[in-house]
Amino acid sequence: MAAVAATVAGLLTLTACGGGDGGAAQGTRGGGGEKKVEVFSWWTGPGEADGLKAMREIFQKNNAGLEFFDAAVAGGSGDKARALLATKLQAGDPPDTFQGHAGAELQGYIKAGQLEPVNFLYDELKLKEVFPQQLIDQISVQGDIYSVPVNIHRSNVMWFNPGVLKEAGVAEVPKTIPEFVTALDKVKKAGKVPLAIGSEWTMVHLLESVLLGSLDTDAYNALWTANADWSGPAVTKALNDFKTVLSYAGDPADDWQPAAKQVADGQAAFTIMGDWAYGYFHNPPDGGLGKKSKTDFDWAPSPGTAGTFMWLSDSFTLPKGAPNRDGAVAWLKVAASKEGQDAFNPKKGSIPARKDADTSLYTDYLADALKDWGSNKLAGSIQHGVVVNDAWRTAINEAVGLFHEDKDVAALQSSLAEAAKNSGQ
């Protein structure tokens, strides 16, 4: 507990010291601070920060009397940001708006009475006509809608370096988990890193793709229902597949970006990461790696998952007691708008939540994603909050962290079954 407290205290200190591009220190809302709009997110890396900047420019153009305050907290997948956010909310010091994943992740905030419904915005902006129904269902509770989605991401993407595969004698891109293991082994024998991974959360990200690829879509989706069988032989097999795949991983990098860079630079063959990696690979060097698709990097569905789109969605909320509620609503209007989403998503490496986006802006990987989103079966992400609430996701992260040390499949399966039982979802 002391370590957790120290981590949160450190985050509070870091956030109080500055606000990235916001230019002002957090906590200085007085003296004209009522016009600041504190936008809390975890978008600090290449690609995601560029997309946020593009939306910010639209916000400032449309709201001359408001000052955007970037309260972003570094750390892929938002684990550090959510820890700090929980502390702020418990202290009665909410940001004006904060990023959250659409789906079960928002349940804790809703149950705690920390979010204001935004049905009024959906009515005013006619958003139910432009957002997919399955997305609206995920962000609704008993008829109330609690966030504004800005994008759709795909989790189950296998990124690879074509040159490394050719050198290792991998002639075909692996489509199944057994083919993937064979390819990983060939790369290992060729002297390159078979699979690049990042910090602990990236292993959970890998786990969700292996579960989907091993179980199939219906069985994976059944894991999040009341009758889920986490102790059965199918899950045992999937976890053994995970153990095998993970055995080919290199040393964990600090986060997903340096792991992806290993692939782009030809040091590693594969990484399993969401499609936000596309923006990082593809964007010019001032905001990414400036690499060439199909030459320096390529992509395919994670092994065993073709035909299924494992999805997640970034969204923004309206906290109860937001110091600048009007400013928060102004930000939500930009996040919901066609202009805002078409400015943000091509840089972020995601596709728009809206159905009326300018499709000419979405080329290369993003064109594939748009097509698959409209035609594939759907499965929700674990790590990115679609199918599990924060408490359940935390328990899964802890179990995978222990597994990375002891490699005990039986213990991992027992922990996952216990986490499901205690989820309260």
Side-chain angles (χ1 to χ4, degrees):
M1 293 297 293
V4 173
T7 299
V8 172
L11 286 168
L12 285 165
T13 302
L14 285 170
T15 310
C17 289
D21 290 339
Q26 186 170 339
T28 57
R29 302 192 74 95
E34 69 279 2
K35 291 188 176 181
K36 284 185 170 65
V37 184
E38 183 182 349
V39 178
F40 188 97
S41 78
W42 51 85
W43 288 333
T44 63
E48 58 196 20
D50 300 299
L52 181 62
K53 181 181 178 182
M55 275 205 299
R56 169 185 176 170
E57 290 171 354
I58 295 170
F59 173 81
Q60 292 180 322
K61 177 187 70 175
N62 295 344
N63 299 280
L66 297 173
E67 180 184 349
F68 181 98
F69 178 68
D70 185 357
V73 174
S77 191
D79 289 349
K80 292 180 181 179
R82 283 189 292 267
L84 175 58
L85 178 64
T87 302
K88 289 173 66 66
L89 293 175
Q90 289 165 9
D93 180 30
D96 294 312
T97 180
F98 64 83
Q99 176 188 358
H101 289 128
E105 181 180 298
L106 296 180
Q107 289 179 2
Y109 305 119
I110 295 168
K111 289 178 180 178
Q114 294 168 329
L115 294 183
E116 183 179 333
V118 290
N119 300 51
F120 68 94
L121 265 183
Y122 278 71
D123 293 340
E124 177 185 340
L125 304 177
K126 296 181 170 55
L127 296 180
K128 288 184 179 181
E129 297 176 12
V130 296
F131 287 152
Q133 186 59 47
Q134 71 266 30
L135 184 55
I136 291 175
D137 291 343
Q138 285 287 343
I139 54 179
S140 301
V141 176
Q142 297 179 344
D144 284 326
I145 303 174
Y146 287 91
S147 69
V148 172
V150 68
N151 67 1
I152 299 292
H153 270 303
R154 187 174 195 166
S155 164
N156 60 317
V157 186
M158 176 179 68
W159 304 95
F160 59 93
N161 185 302
V164 174
L165 295 195
K166 184 177 181 180
E167 290 173 10
V170 179
E172 299 289 337
V173 177
K175 295 181 174 62
T176 66
I177 290 177
E179 290 177 2
F180 188 38
V181 171
T182 298
L184 292 169
D185 197 57
K186 287 184 177 182
V187 174
K188 181 178 180 180
K189 289 175 180 175
K192 293 292 181 74
V193 176
L195 179 67
I197 57 170
S199 51
E200 185 177 287
W201 75 264
T202 72
M203 299 178 208
V204 179
H205 186 104
L206 173 64
L207 172 64
E208 66 186 27
S209 266
V210 174
L211 284 173
L212 178 61
S214 183
L215 291 172
D216 80 31
T217 309
D218 292 340
Y220 174 88
N221 286 335
L223 291 177
W224 320 110
T225 66
N227 299 319
D229 182 12
W230 279 94
S231 300
V235 173
T236 305
K237 178 185 179 301
L239 296 180
N240 275 303
D241 287 340
F242 177 58
K243 179 179 180 179
T244 300
V245 169
L246 194 57
S247 72
Y248 288 97
D251 293 334
D254 290 339
D255 210 335
W256 69 267
Q257 290 100 332
K261 190 174 187 298
Q262 291 177 35
V263 174
D265 289 347
Q267 299 169 6
F270 297 99
T271 193
I272 304 292
M273 187 42 57
D275 55 9
W276 46 89
Y278 176 74
Y280 178 59
F281 284 132
H282 182 264
N283 287 351
D286 60 344
L289 297 177
K291 298 293 186 177
K292 186 175 180 181
S293 66
K294 304 296 183 178
T295 301
D296 299 317
F297 71 97
D298 206 340
W299 60 86
S302 299
T305 72
T308 300
F309 195 113
M310 181 177 276
W311 73 278
L312 58 134
S313 173
D314 294 304
S315 65
F316 282 94
T317 61
L318 181 58
K320 286 187 177 177
N324 188 346
R325 183 183 183 278
D326 289 345
V329 170
W331 171 254
L332 293 177
K333 287 182 177 181
V334 172
S337 70
K338 182 177 182 295
E339 181 185 16
Q341 296 202 5
D342 279 343
F344 172 79
N345 284 296
K347 294 182 181 296
K348 176 68 160 64
S350 49
I351 58 176
R354 295 178 65 106
K355 298 184 290 186
D356 60 350
D358 181 356
T359 57
S360 69
L361 298 174
Y362 301 89
T363 59
D364 206 29
Y365 166 79
L366 297 176
D368 287 352
L370 267 178
K371 175 175 64 69
D372 288 349
W373 171 247
S375 61
N376 282 195
K377 291 182 178 180
L378 299 182
S381 168
I382 300 171
Q383 175 59 28
H384 307 285
V386 177
V387 293
V388 296
N389 58 32
D390 258 359
W392 194 352
R393 182 190 54 78
T394 298
I396 292 172
N397 270 260
E398 290 173 353
V400 171
L402 290 172
F403 178 74
H404 186 241
E405 299 299 324
D406 63 28
K407 308 299 189 294
D408 188 334
V409 168
L412 174 60
Q413 186 165 9
S414 176
S415 295
L416 294 176
E418 190 68 16
K421 179 180 177 183
N422 297 331
S423 68
Q425 194 168 299

